[in-house]
Amino acid sequence: MKYNRCGKSGLLLPQIALGLWHNFGSEDDFKNGEAIIKRAFDQGITHFDLANNYGPIPGSAETNFGTILKNNFQGNLRDEMVIATKAGYKMWDGPYGDWGSRKYLISSLNQSLKRMNLDYVDIFYSHRFDPETALEETMMALDFAVKSGKALYAGISNYSPEQTAQASKILRDLGTPCVIHQARYSMFGREPEQGLLDVLEEKGLGFIAFSPLAQGLLSDKYLSGIPDNSRAMNPNGFLQTDAITEEIIRKITALNDIAQQRSQSLAQMALAWLLKDERVTSVLLGASSVNQLDNSLACLKNVAFSNEELIAIEAFLQ
């Protein structure tokens, strides 16, 4: 595992981080989640990414993670881990359980720390821009979180390039630099290339990509149709069956052929493709089993691309 510097900060993040968005809530198999986290750490994944509403039920991923920490990562092991959480999406009913007010962000952080039984998190994010709250208020909440010792670093997620530049300036003026931006990025979701990555490079922020496999589209799962146990068959999931068109299947089939020529699975190539850009500090991976985690980590065996490979991939992504 290689560790990359997060922007211009002193923080180093592994090339691959583990996200607990799915598979770690109260409705999931606790022992399976515990095994994944232990295996991840043993393989050099030191960064674990959560949010207040991860579950289901909301908050339960943090509660389970706190139990896993207590059972397996006592003593100095905590100092080898980078634990992140976020607030910004709906967590509870009422006027103070959503968006980006100081009231919500600080209350949520306090709740997250209690659920995980931690004194601090390493990174605390504003999970999304709040159009109804002054950006200064949201950034002052992050500044307070860091200066109070409840977080070591401040981050933002799902902000536009313009909002990112403004947020970075406010935090820098407050004396708490923004060190990282988290956004959706994959072969099938390339919005960060439309200005965001340039802003991050200019401002000295790190970048961590989530949904690197486009909710599973960039895997071999859909090469032969839609499996019954796939995310697309879950009516409550983000990936729905109507997104898996004939054109998408044509693209993933062609990309899979390139991956096989590289002695990789499609998922492994898709992860490696993100890491080719030096502006990408880390790629946030999800896993439903230890085997899936190990398979994904095998992408690190080949992260180099020839010009011919990149041209061929780009031709199928148009």
Side-chain angles (χ1 to χ4, degrees), residues 18 20 22-25 28-40 48 64-65 68 72-73 287-290 293:
L18 183 64
L20 278 66
H22 301 289
N23 305 311
F24 296 90
D28 299 299
D29 185 329
F30 177 84
K31 289 296 184 181
N32 181 60
E34 184 175 45
I36 293 170
I37 289 171
K38 290 168 65 177
R39 177 65 173 174
F48 299 88
N64 284 345
F65 184 68
I68 292 168
N72 301 277
F73 297 93
S288 60
S289 68
V290 170
L293 174 69

Side-chain angles (χ1 to χ4, degrees), residues 296-311:
S296 296
L297 285 174
C299 75
L300 298 177
K301 295 178 181 178
N302 184 12
V303 295
F305 289 83
S306 68
N307 288 334
E308 291 77 14
E309 286 173 331
L310 292 175
I311 292 171

Side-chain angles (χ1 to χ4, degrees), residues 99-118:
W99 293 103
S101 70
R102 179 186 181 96
K103 171 72 170 173
Y104 170 48
L105 293 179
I106 301 304
S107 296
S108 178
L109 176 56
N110 288 334
Q111 293 176 19
S112 292
L113 293 174
K114 185 177 294 186
R115 281 191 290 268
M116 292 186 283
N117 193 30
L118 292 174

